[in-house]
Amino acid sequence: MSLAVCPGSFDPITLGHLDVVRRARGVFDEVVLAVAHNPAKAYLFDLEQRVELARGALDGLDVRVDVVDGLLADYCREVGAVAIVKGLRGGADYDSEQPMALMNRHLSDVETMFLVGDGALAHIASSLVKDIASHGGDVSDLVPPAVARALHDAFPHPGAQR
Ligand code: PNS
């Protein structure tokens, strides 16, 4: 059985994340989406909400959602992952991901595999989605419906579509 871990903040999970996780599931026998918890980081959604939104979005995809509370390299060793899978939207993603891939391999010998997602979703980033929602913009074609509702609740705008 080959197990891959798709880690991230998922604050919140987007259609871009879902595309990458689906593709990873097509390659590996088992995929765990690992939601990172960094107490020093300011998230919009707390850990419980990020996990719940991810679980809802992945319903029916045969992908488990777990929390990584500590080093990702340690988590991968504990669960016996053969790879960390990350989606690349472009060169900037590679530039930020490559040092982490090298560091995770340094720490626990775990390989990182980069997967190219759907080009039609390459503009989607959690940070942009939050920015759009904070200004009352429509995010319904960028995130799963429950996430769009959660963003709407987090940034109430009179008259904005729910
Ligand atoms: O979605 P993000 O915020 O880009 O994901 C970054 C994440 C969660 C993958 C990274 O911060 C991480 O691996 N955090 C766990 C702690 C850790 O292992 N840090 C050392 C990374 S080399």
Side-chain angles (χ1 to χ4, degrees):
M1 283 288 276
S2 61
L3 167 66
V5 172
C6 292
S9 299
F10 303 106
D11 184 39
I13 193 162
T14 68
L15 296 189
H17 292 131
L18 281 185
D19 172 56
V20 169
V21 172
R22 248 191 226 112
R23 289 174 195 280
R25 184 62 190 86
V27 176
F28 295 92
D29 297 320
E30 206 182 326
V31 171
V32 176
L33 182 133
V35 183
H37 174 54
N38 178 355
K41 213 165 159 177
Y43 298 106
L44 172 63
F45 296 108
D46 65 25
L47 181 65
E48 218 171 282
Q49 288 173 305
R50 287 181 285 128
V51 166
E52 190 186 316
L53 290 171
R55 286 215 171 106
L58 291 164
D59 192 32
L61 286 188
D62 191 26
V63 170
R64 196 156 55 82
V65 176
D66 201 1
V67 171
V68 49
D69 195 7
L71 283 179
L72 177 62
D74 290 342
Y75 177 85
C76 287
R77 197 185 296 120
E78 280 160 26
V79 298
V82 296
I84 293 167
V85 173
K86 290 287 198 88
L88 292 185
R89 289 165 296 196
D93 278 351
Y94 180 80
D95 289 343
S96 60
E97 294 294 343
Q98 192 245 20
M100 286 196 271
L102 290 173
M103 188 56 80
N104 284 319
R105 188 159 63 196
H106 171 86
L107 292 170
S108 79
D109 268 344
V110 65
E111 298 292 350
T112 295
M113 298 196 161
F114 294 123
L115 196 154
V116 178
D118 183 346
L121 304 173
H123 58 297
I124 302 179
S126 297
S127 54
L128 291 178
V129 165
K130 285 181 282 191
D131 186 37
I132 293 162
S134 76
H135 290 91
D138 181 16
V139 294
S140 59
D141 50 1
L142 304 173
V143 294
V147 175
R149 284 194 295 274
L151 284 164
H152 182 274
D153 292 346
F155 300 110
H157 277 81
Q161 285 188 347
R162 194 166 197 272

